[in-house]
Amino acid sequence: MAATTTIRVPCSSANLGPGFDVIGLALNLYLEVQLTVTKQESSSHSLNCRITYEGVNADSVPLVAEDNLITRTAVYVLRCHGIRAFPTETHVHVKNPIPLGRGLGSSAAAIVAGVNIANEVGNLQLSKARMLDYCLMEERHPDNVAAALYGGFVGTYLNELSPEDTERLEIPLSEVLPEPAGGVDTGLRPPEPPKDIGHYTKYRWSPEIKCICIIPQFEVSTAKARAVLPESYTRKDIIFNMQRLAVLTTALGASPPDPGQIYTAMQDKIHQPYRRGLIPGLTEILQSVTPQSHPGLLGICLSGAGPTILALATANFDSIASHLVTEFKNENIECDWKLLELADEGTTVRRSAVSSLPVEESLTYASSGVSIDAGNDLVKAIKQFTASTKRPGADGKIGGFGGLLDLKAAGFDEPPILVGAIDGIGTKVKIAFEMNKHDTVGIDLVAMNVNDLVVQGAEPLIFLDYYACSKLSVQSAAKFVEGVANGCRLSGAALVGGETAEMPGIYKDGEYDAGGCAVGAIKRGVTILPDTAAMAEGDVLLGLSSNGVHSNGFSLVRKIIEKKGLSFHDTAPWSTGETVGASLLTPTRIYVKPLLAATRKGLIKGMSHITGGGLLENIPRMLPDHLAAELDAKTWPVPEVFQWLKRAGQLEDSEFARTFNTGLGMVLVVKEEDARTATEILQEHGEQVHRVGTLVSKKTEECTVRNMDVWK
Ligand SMILES: Nc1ncnc2c1ncn2[C@@H]1O[C@H](COP(=O)(O)OP(=O)(O)OP(=O)(O)O)[C@@H](O)[C@H]1O
Ligand SMILES: N[C@@H](CCO)C(=O)O
């Protein structure tokens, strides 16, 4: 088995209003278990397992293997396979940011983690479907466990279990948690679950929808919250819920989502009304917001068994959250809140070392770690994305040996000047692994390339990407390509090809690297930028706002975050309601369309894409030898994230300006007389434009920034 293994399980929100015990949503807050087995003669820990724990409720979670839900579950599964205890000695280190007993599927995450631990230490080779069976022997409602295991937005059903299958004491029943619970060692082999107990399907989830979780500071155990429910319901109430559920499952996948439909479809009559006695003000709080009173809101419900409230929204997250927090405050209940997103991938297992091959096993390409099937599945999964990037001259089909572009059909009658750019994402990908969010780094990749092309005045035409990993996860890779396609659409380039390389042993499990290249063209006769000959003293420097850190300086960013003891899942100190990781993953801004609009009017003499090397190193790249840039730091706003990074990393001013874009993703040179028109055109295309400085005659420095003390 693996020497060190990391298991990550997402939290989940069940029911979503009418889908009691049926639908579940995996969200990007993860229980993480680090599992290490050291070969020892004996262990002083019960069942040979040492447990350490960090995170919420750390003082109340039992650290004895028979009592802790995670390890108790693992022991149940091991005993079903004739293994009585953990290998000597097993260390289970738990990092848990999921609050317990709040309706965010903490017990489902613990159970799924436990089953995975058993699978690893016992080398049981269970399929995910079989793991679901084990989970369902414990947690009898499949909504949370299926979401935690498979990720995404799921609909589930459960085969009925016979009393014999469930009555044995060895099964750690979570429905009667916290006590009394099973997990007792009767010395007998516990009953294995019947096969295929649980079934699930994944629904589409609209990428616009985010989840505001209002988490009151008290627990409601699922056992208690189920005990208040009636044994039977009226036909009217059942039909009420079924009608809404049928609509809700597809309404949440529509893009853009329809607030009127979703708000009504999230009403429920079979659990929330009965749970109001456990959660002060529940009914009033759920009724206190509507899409009309709070634009951006889609719907609201109790998350799982509560007390967390789940509000689905596409905008105005802070104001919706602060309204709900105040409503709870009026009931004398304090709350935390988090803005979470769908976790599409579910449980992941990363092994740092792999077991040796059984001797008799015959070798295949797949057994060496490269799966042709997975590669083919990926091609199928991404076809729709590449097709969406179609443009005149490039038809967007994939699968051929090379990507084609017909320059004539692309609008170039005369042979144009071709411009090529190639780049990567750098260590920003590490944050995507950490957050298990892979759909935005592809935008960064395209941005790094097309922003480099456009500063020369070129129109991006085609893009090709390279994705290399140890073991191909079709889901993560497809999400990555979805991001690449989104970036291509934003810049008008067709995604005409790419390469996916599965290279076991080169990359760590679960990690990947990506690169890409763009080709663009400049019409013959049009000035290639920068037009250094046209630049003169007194020309104006215009700066375009960035989206934050973009894709450079991440090694330093990660170092600062680590030094401050923050995890990527913590709330960002610079932004309420967003985690550190989600905020840092904000994709690089793509400036192609606004800049092409201004260049085509002949308004721009030069442009600098502010990447690694920051303002100080990049601006001189567009200037002639005799001119220098003089900027005034008072003229543009520095985003909160940079202010925090500068303070937290105690960065000197010049180090800051040499590493980061400081709030300006592009800097342009224009004639004084053209500055106003250029600004207006760029603003019409949605850019925030700042007049940040001028060109001066060069003495020693190529680029200076005055008034850097405003950054203090
Ligand atoms: N990481 C963990 N380690 C040990 N025990 C845990 C862990 N997570 C959950 N539990 C157990 O599960 C109990 C909470 O389960 P419960 O089903 O009541 O709530 P939940 O799963 O957080 O909410 P919901 O099921 O409504 O989404 C805790 O009190 C604790 O006993
Ligand atoms: N469907 C379950 C989820 C909580 O675990 C309930 O509402 O009781």
Side-chain angles (χ1 to χ4, degrees), residues 12-15 31 33 51 53 56-57 60-62 67-72 94-96 98-111 113 139 141 143-144 174-175 177-179 219-226 275 303-308:
S12 50
S13 179
N15 306 333
L31 169 75
V33 172
I51 307 174
Y53 193 99
V56 289
N57 302 93
S60 62
V61 173
D67 299 333
N68 185 291
L69 180 61
I70 301 175
T71 43
R72 222 162 70 191
V94 182
K95 291 186 189 173
N96 193 9
I98 309 172
L100 309 190
R102 308 291 174 85
L104 285 170
S106 71
S107 55
I111 289 166
E139 183 143 311
H141 38 91
D143 40 7
N144 288 106
S174 82
E175 234 168 68
L177 274 176
E179 294 294 342
E219 290 187 29
V220 170
S221 83
T222 302
K224 256 192 171 169
R226 295 177 83 81
R275 288 174 164 169
S303 176
T308 292

Side-chain angles (χ1 to χ4, degrees), residues 5 184 197 257 328 359 406 417 548 652 656:
T5 301
V184 175
I197 310 177
F328 267 118
V359 243
D406 177 345
I417 310 298
E652 298 286 332
F656 178 56

Side-chain angles (χ1 to χ4, degrees), residues 350-426:
R350 274 195 233 157
R351 301 171 190 92
S352 65
V354 281
S355 55
S356 55
L357 197 68
V359 243
E360 320 81 47
E361 198 174 308
S362 75
L363 292 176
T364 59
Y365 201 21
S367 74
S368 75
V370 179
S371 168
I372 302 290
D373 288 346
N376 290 339
D377 288 347
L378 178 65
V379 173
K380 271 190 225 145
I382 63 177
K383 265 200 166 132
Q384 44 164 330
F385 304 135
T386 53
S388 72
T389 68
K390 232 164 148 172
R391 58 154 293 142
D395 69 6
K397 278 188 195 137
I398 52 164
F401 286 95
L404 304 180
L405 171 73
D406 177 345
L407 280 169
K408 207 162 192 173
F412 298 88
D413 291 331
E414 295 271 308
I417 310 298
L418 293 182
V419 188
I422 183 160
D423 211 340
I425 312 164

